[in-house]
Amino acid sequence: MAAPVGSRLWDHVDRLGAEHPPIPLDSADYTMVRPAVLAERFGPVLTYMSRVELEVERNVLELNLLLPDPPPVDRHFYADVWLPQEVHHGLILDKLQSSAGLPAATPNLTRIDFRLRLLGALGRSGAVQDISRMLYYLTGVATEQSAILAYNKLYRGLMELGERAVASTIIAPIRRQEPGHFAYYKIAAQGLWDELAGWQKWLARTIRRFSFEPVGAYDETQRGDFGVVMERLGIIDDGLDRYAEQIGRVEGELLWAQREGLKVPAYVVDALRHAADLARTR
């Protein structure tokens, strides 16, 4: 018999914390063969990634608002393991882009969207908070899968440029930590979905349909920036539908299992296409 979801999550988080402590800031080698070429090719990618990684400090404020009484394992995960790891990712990436002659990151660390404040107020009801938790897990799944794909592509691109020091001491260690985050959200989402009542599932589907957005893209400018990131990493050339399927597979299997043949929710594809269209107009 499989262990209860809560027990599996505790074991997973403890293992993540023990096996993947925050990357030491002094372990990164910023030696670049051609920094100007690196900045030209991947500057927008580094700028976007460093901002998103550093904004986890605000994300934790949002979580404290959305989940006033979260399961202890969730708080253990995002406060004790995820936050320290991601902050170090952001600091290292920000120093890399500065070393390549790019402007420093300008993350939003304090401004919280009104919609989140409203959902947080409603979340003082346990039934509503469960919906907020479900949305948190789904966002985490899509975010971490996006990060895994992006860091893999960035690693290969840097190696092709001959930037081995940066690829091996910065990008490789960061990408090793992302799958553990993805696994946490996936296990948590699958476990919670089975516990939700029918009306909670309906409301989660409805909110998700209208609130999905690419990772770190909260307005039209940032959506266009995300489109540029996809273009620089070769994601658009590889096919947006394929990319959408990869980042939307878990929520497609959970939320939309009743729709046979649906590989990925249409709103995921639409959001990515919109970002790509915005990038093309620049």
Side-chain angles (χ1 to χ4, degrees), residues 115 135 139 204-214 267:
R115 293 170 297 178
L135 296 172
T139 298
R205 290 190 190 100
T206 301
I207 296 175
R208 187 65 173 163
R209 182 190 297 121
F210 292 105
S211 64
F212 178 87
E213 55 198 4
Y267 53 78

Side-chain angles (χ1 to χ4, degrees), residues 61-69 112-129 132:
L61 296 178
E62 293 170 343
L63 287 171
N64 290 335
L65 186 66
L66 282 173
L67 308 177
D69 186 27
I112 299 175
D113 190 281
F114 171 76
R115 293 170 297 178
L116 293 177
R117 294 183 182 278
L118 177 60
L119 193 56
L122 296 174
R124 298 193 179 280
S125 160
V128 175
Q129 183 173 217
S132 296

